[in-house]
Amino acid sequence: KAGVTQTPRYLIKTRGQQVTLSCSPISGHRSVSWYQQTPGQGLQFLFEYFSETQRNKGNFPGRFSGRQFSNSRSEMNVSTLELGDSALYLCASSSLFGLAGLYNEQFFGPGTRLTVL
Amino acid sequence: LAKTTQPISMDSYEGQEVNITCSHNNIATNDYITWYQQFPSQGPRFIIQGYKTKVTNEVASLFIPADRKSSTLSLPRVSLSDTAVYYCLVVDSNTGKLIFGQGTTLQVKP
């Protein structure tokens, strides 16, 4: 079974631009979560989607948004990029929706390395 | 919001048992505590998950006391390939948000 795939793997943008990252979950998984990882803040939860609905959201500004399609693929968008948005953005999928009940094992992709200049 | 505390780094030698403890408060009473392993340039990988007492799988054990204010990941007989960053993950009791620990960098020496 193929793992979680994320595209692109690397991205360089300038301040003020916007960016869209893509995530394809493991086949059959309906829950997709996004995380930001930086050396200073570690791993931080952005949001989770299940069946095209956002189920939970972390403490990030409205510039960070996402969506999930009917095939469970998900995209994350960051508008008006800031230098501090430089990070590794990780996507994870799981077979069950975790936040309405018990947390379920997540399978992470390799991440997209975003650099904002 | 739930707060987690892990040691920033630990050193060990091959063949030794390594215990990494994560302290956590305000976690959801009915949710699991989960540990992940991360190698450079890769996403985190699930190691083990538990609710209370002791859980063991083929790679690790997890000890959780009755008050669930901490959890200890135990790696038996580590090898060089266990050199990685280890994260605990909990669920905040009020918001349901997922909270990762800051990570413990384990360096296994020959």
Side-chain angles (χ1 to χ4, degrees), chain A residues 2-59:
Chain A
V4 177
T5 58
Q6 293 187 244
T7 56
R9 292 293 311 278
Y10 301 91
L11 205 50
I12 299 176
K13 293 284 188 179
T14 57
R15 280 181 299 174
Q17 287 187 309
Q18 76 165 19
V19 66
T20 298
L21 312 181
S22 181
C23 171
S24 293
I26 290 173
S27 177
H29 285 191
R30 296 170 62 189
S31 174
V32 173
S33 299
W34 287 89
Y35 300 85
Q36 182 195 66
Q37 186 172 32
T38 60
Q41 298 297 318
L43 273 160
Q44 292 187 286
F45 171 70
L46 279 157
F47 26 66
E48 175 179 5
Y49 287 87
F50 182 82
S51 294
E52 303 178 64
T53 302
Q54 187 180 91
R55 298 290 181 169
N56 208 333
K57 189 176 186 302
N59 299 322

Side-chain angles (χ1 to χ4, degrees), chain A residues 13-19 63 78-83 85 116-117:
Chain A
K13 293 284 188 179
T14 57
R15 280 181 299 174
Q17 287 187 309
Q18 76 165 19
V19 66
R63 300 185 298 107
V78 187
S79 63
T80 319
L81 284 166
E82 301 176 0
L83 295 178
D85 296 333
V116 182
L117 303 176

